[in-house]
Amino acid sequence: MDNRPIGIFDSGVGGLTVVREVINFLPNENIIYFGDTLRCPYGSKDLNDVRKFVFEIIDFLLNEDVKSIVIACNTGTAAGLYEAQSKFKLPIIGVIEPGARGAVLSTRNKKVGVIGTVGTINSGAYQRVIKTLDAGIKVYSNACPEFVEFVERGETTGMKIKKIGEIYLQSLKEAGVDTLILGCTHYPLLSGLIQEIMGSSVKLISSAAETAKELKELIERKEIMREENSPPFYRFLSTGDIKLFLELGKKFLGKEITTVEKVSLSREGVKG
Ligand code: DGL
């Protein structure tokens, strides 16, 4: 039993797609969500810089006394999950392994596609994890940098994004993948469009849902479930624009967010 909150963080509001699933799978858990909106996006930044951000945020969340941490950002996971697991004592999971496992379990023709930010795709992280789980699977990947911008503008349908989507996904379609990993926090909001382009026979894997399943298993196996009967709390923290967080956050979380706390990382781990 452990009544402390779970810490979940992302470069911005995209990780709320993971929070949404965590609430589904673990409805009794307290959650502190940290969105580093001031420094978003991570996807186009040097992974060494992103790793530093990851460490800073984990330090911050440790000060908030969380019992476990989810790096709900594909780029953040690619840049710093293993290093963070080695550096900090509490359980830390990312979004790449759960998504990769889901795809390995799902594929029938052993051809898996991955889409994500430039940072995630260039890191080769999905490829490595998939190959560890099943060396026979062929992985086809493509960075889709403009998708994040479209989602942040709220443009998830229409001809413009469809045209760009067709270009991004063409090589994966031609390769004949039967499973496609949405390897970026923002892409679940484009799943309608992506499914339409790829065709109904292609299975889309959302890292968000797979990560929530893994977190549930971790919490249960380690016996660190929250056992209080009162309703859980959800706190939302942001380093950047609160108004934008509230507006976009609703889309990603699927429900209204009433309060966002503005925080600063200028002094390590100290709330500003
Ligand atoms: N959260 C990032 C990811 O999942 C996407 C947005 C960004 O580039 O920071 O990779």
Side-chain angles (χ1 to χ4, degrees):
M1 192 266 282
D2 189 336
N3 292 323
R4 292 178 301 158
I6 297 166
I8 302 179
F9 73 91
D10 176 39
S11 55
V13 288
L16 291 169
T17 52
V18 178
V19 174
R20 185 201 278 224
E21 296 295 342
V22 171
I23 293 174
N24 262 340
F25 283 91
L26 291 163
N28 199 41
E29 292 296 327
N30 293 321
I31 296 172
I32 299 182
Y33 179 80
F34 186 108
D36 193 8
T37 44
L38 189 68
R39 296 187 291 200
C40 191
Y42 285 1
S44 49
K45 292 193 169 68
D46 186 315
L47 290 189
N48 291 314
D49 293 333
V50 176
R51 189 173 312 115
K52 280 187 207 137
F53 302 162
V54 165
F55 288 174
E56 279 175 12
I57 297 168
I58 294 176
D59 270 326
F60 182 96
L61 288 170
L62 283 174
N63 268 355
E64 297 290 332
D65 201 21
V66 297
K67 63 181 170 191
S68 66
I69 288 181
V70 180
I71 306 181
C73 174
N74 291 264
T75 315
T77 302
L81 174 68
Y82 297 141
E83 292 82 353
Q85 286 173 331
S86 311
K87 186 171 152 78
F88 300 96
K89 285 210 175 79
L90 80 174
I92 303 176
I93 64 169
V95 283
I96 290 182
E97 288 213 7
R101 192 168 313 115
V104 168
L105 292 174
S106 152
T107 183
R108 288 162 183 261
N109 72 359
K110 290 202 170 195
K111 290 182 182 177
V112 169
V114 186
I115 50 175
T117 65
V118 172
T120 300
I121 297 304
N122 286 353
S123 75
Y126 271 104
Q127 178 114 358
R128 273 194 298 279
V129 178
I130 291 170
K131 290 279 181 193
T132 314
L133 295 171
D134 185 334
I137 291 179
K138 282 214 162 73
V139 185
Y140 302 86
S141 54
N142 220 357
C144 307
E146 279 186 68
F147 273 176
V148 168
E149 293 162 30
F150 271 89
V151 172
E152 300 239 329
R153 282 201 300 271
E155 232 181 297
T156 52
T157 53
M159 277 319 286
K160 233 164 123 190
I161 185 148
K162 191 160 180 227
K163 268 200 181 135
I164 290 172
E166 276 165 351
I167 296 168
Y168 283 152
L169 298 171
Q170 192 183 352
S171 61
L172 304 178
K173 245 184 120 168
E174 281 168 10
V177 302
D178 70 351
T179 304
L180 177 65
I181 301 174
L182 307 181
C184 173
T185 48
H186 287 56
Y187 299 174
L189 275 81
L190 295 174
S191 54
L193 173 96
I194 295 170
Q195 190 78 71
E196 190 189 328
I197 297 172
M198 293 304 292
S200 56
S201 61
V202 173
K203 172 108 175 126
L204 302 187
I205 303 289
S206 146
S207 292
E210 299 296 331
T211 303
K213 278 187 223 165
E214 176 154 333
L215 180 67
K216 182 173 192 285
E217 199 178 344
L218 181 147
I219 298 274
E220 286 174 354
R221 287 218 179 173
K222 292 195 189 295
E223 297 182 8
I224 53 170
M225 295 88 74
R226 173 177 178 258
E227 281 183 358
E228 288 167 338
N229 289 323
S230 54
F233 69 73
Y234 304 128
R235 283 177 61 202
F236 301 96
L237 318 182
S238 167
T239 52
D241 191 331
I242 300 291
K243 223 176 123 222
L244 199 67
F245 191 110
L246 286 167
E247 265 169 41
L248 282 175
K250 191 178 164 193
K251 279 191 208 143
F252 286 89
L253 189 64
K255 58 178 161 205
E256 202 83 48
I257 296 173
T258 47
T259 314
V260 178
E261 302 165 45
K262 174 100 182 225
V263 294
S264 160
L265 286 172
S266 50
R267 285 169 295 144
E268 199 176 86
V270 178
K271 222 197 275 190

